[in-house]
Amino acid sequence: MAIELYSWPRSSGSRVCWALEELGVPYRYVEVDGANKANLEPAYLAINPTGKVPALVDDGQRFFETVAILLHLAQKYGMDKGLWPAPGSPQRADAASWLVWSGTGLAPPMMEVVYHGMDSPFSYAPADRSAAAAQYNRSQLDRMLGALQGQLAGREYLTGAQFTMADLACASTLAFGATCGLSLGDYPGTADWLQRCTSRPARSRAR
């Protein structure tokens, strides 16, 4: 049974599309009609009870939350494709930690900076922005970017010479920030790594 990915354009579902293209596993993209509130219909809520995207069904198992979906795909399909380290290895521990960190450590302050501290299609209206929130979250984002740069020191990718699903998770998060105007000028190693990750052919094939 083919994997079914439920998503809509310009969402974090694009990260899952990229992952599926990297893995080369067959899948069916199901576009959820958010404009007509299809995401709040019982049929979709049975897959993702939050009514958000993305969601994924794989062999009858239902997953929601981007990080959970990426972790499932990495563990089930990644090793055979060279995109996930072997169990018990230090690289596996690093990969799992950084993949989860992309959603819990990196994304929250980055999105607050986008909302309150930038002028982008996703930013709040100027009257609704908080300078204090922008300043605080910028400091937290710089801490996270410093940690990422430290991990990448002397490495091609997060766990060494091999691109993994952890790189995909972190790079796809930062790539969104870059489209909103986030600069990595103070983190040249991270900027170079992001360019390597986002130049992969599989990303251009993803929705």
Side-chain angles (χ1 to χ4, degrees):
M1 181 185 298
I3 292 170
E4 292 182 330
L5 170 61
Y6 295 81
S7 188
W8 57 52
R10 300 180 72 187
S11 74
S12 58
S14 62
R15 302 171 193 175
V16 181
C17 283
W18 180 8
L20 289 165
E21 292 292 339
E22 288 281 0
L23 292 165
V25 294
Y27 69 98
R28 184 169 73 93
Y29 182 91
V30 182
E31 185 166 329
V32 180
D33 187 357
N36 289 312
K37 301 185 185 300
N39 55 307
L40 302 179
E41 293 293 329
Y44 184 72
L45 292 175
I47 300 170
N48 186 343
T50 71
K52 297 182 178 182
V53 296
L56 182 136
V57 178
D58 184 7
D59 197 22
Q61 289 186 302
R62 299 184 294 275
F63 299 87
F64 62 96
E65 289 298 317
T66 305
V67 170
I69 293 170
L70 293 177
L71 191 58
H72 163 70
L73 293 173
Q75 292 175 337
K76 184 171 181 179
Y77 303 104
M79 280 184 57
D80 289 344
K81 304 293 184 177
L83 293 168
W84 197 241
S89 67
Q91 292 79 13
R92 169 67 76 94
D94 276 349
S97 297
W98 287 103
L99 192 156
V100 173
W101 174 85
S102 71
T104 60
L106 177 61
M110 187 193 79
M111 291 309 302
E112 290 300 313
V113 169
V114 169
Y115 295 147
H116 291 283
M118 293 183 177
D119 292 309
S120 79
F122 301 93
S123 302
Y124 294 152
D128 297 327
R129 298 175 194 172
S130 164
Q135 182 177 7
Y136 172 76
N137 283 285
R138 181 70 232 197
S139 72
Q140 297 304 300
L141 178 58
D142 282 334
R143 285 182 58 202
M144 298 299 102
L145 292 174
L148 180 60
Q149 177 117 323
Q151 177 67 14
L152 289 167
R155 296 182 174 92
E156 189 93 356
Y157 295 104
L158 284 169
T159 63
Q162 183 68 38
F163 175 89
T164 71
M165 298 285 278
D167 294 284
L168 184 152
C170 294
S172 58
T173 301
L174 273 184
F176 175 79
T179 66
C180 296
L182 178 67
S183 171
L184 295 175
D186 292 335
Y187 306 94
T190 299
D192 291 344
W193 159 84
L194 181 61
Q195 179 63 32
R196 285 194 296 275
C197 292
T198 55
S199 297
R200 293 177 66 85
R203 183 170 184 260
S204 66
R205 298 194 300 269
R207 285 176 180 261

